[in-house]
Amino acid sequence: MQIEFRSDLGAKVLVDVPDERALEDTLRKYGRLGWTSGEVPPGGYQFPYDNFSDFDWSLIGARRWTNPEGDVLIIHRGQAYKIRELEAVDSRKMKLPAAVKISRGAKSTDQEHVREKADGEFEYVTLAIFRGGKRQERYALPRQGAPTPDAAD
């Protein structure tokens, strides 16, 4: 099995993965370097709401960063995404649980299929949304003291 990564400098790199059990550890290892695999799906990655607080951003080649003003942002492929908390919606037309959306304003260079319309003329691009679902430990930051593949490197 192989994963094709794009390095933080744009190089395409194939990495051998011995089996599916090593997949997430491999994504973490290279994701910590800012390397990404695949493309962000339109509408962003979908994760369970309860995974947001300790989500391991290296799984998608991203990282948390606090700017000088104290705002926490998610950096992915050189773009800064804001964290937006969305309240639950319960109306006749729509019922949605609370969510956390990671998004940024769209740019003229963004492809049309990843742009989402907001109120007025504003468009945005979503990296990830955390809504509903059952927590999955595989998305969480590794516990301190837990063995990792890097420990053997």
Side-chain angles (χ1 to χ4, degrees):
M1 180 182 335
Q2 292 184 320
I3 301 174
E4 181 178 298
F5 286 98
R6 183 167 32 155
S7 79
D8 56 334
L9 298 176
K12 288 187 180 180
V13 181
L14 285 177
V15 175
D16 289 322
V17 181
D19 58 50
E20 63 278 353
R21 293 181 308 239
L23 178 65
E24 286 156 1
D25 290 331
T26 303
L27 290 170
R28 284 183 167 93
K29 178 178 180 177
Y30 292 96
R32 282 192 293 274
L33 300 173
W35 294 19
T36 58
S37 63
E39 296 298 322
V40 177
Y45 294 103
Q46 308 286 316
F47 298 109
Y49 182 82
D50 290 340
N51 277 106
F52 175 71
S53 63
D54 65 349
F55 184 74
D56 187 352
W57 291 102
S58 69
L59 286 168
I60 62 169
R63 64 183 171 85
R64 288 175 67 106
W65 177 69
T66 304
N67 70 12
E69 292 78 35
D71 300 318
V72 176
L73 304 169
I74 304 301
I75 306 299
H76 182 262
R77 290 188 176 168
Q79 302 288 333
Y81 293 80
K82 289 186 177 185
I83 299 170
R84 295 176 172 84
E85 294 190 30
L86 307 176
E87 293 182 18
V89 174
D90 190 357
S91 69
R92 281 190 208 173
K93 294 182 179 181
M94 191 178 343
K95 289 188 187 301
L96 293 171
V100 177
K101 192 170 203 170
I102 314 302
S103 59
R104 63 171 173 77
K107 298 182 168 123
S108 61
T109 55
D110 290 320
Q111 295 179 357
E112 191 64 34
H113 74 280
V114 300
R115 294 168 177 248
E116 298 174 54
K117 305 277 188 225
D119 296 336
E121 307 249 337
F122 187 75
E123 294 181 320
Y124 58 94
V125 174
T126 300
L127 174 63
I129 188 162
F130 295 81
R131 175 182 282 147
K134 184 178 177 187
R135 178 178 171 78
Q136 296 187 39
E137 288 303 318
R138 65 191 190 117
Y139 296 145
L141 287 165
R143 291 172 297 167
Q144 297 290 39
T148 64
D150 292 341
D153 286 351

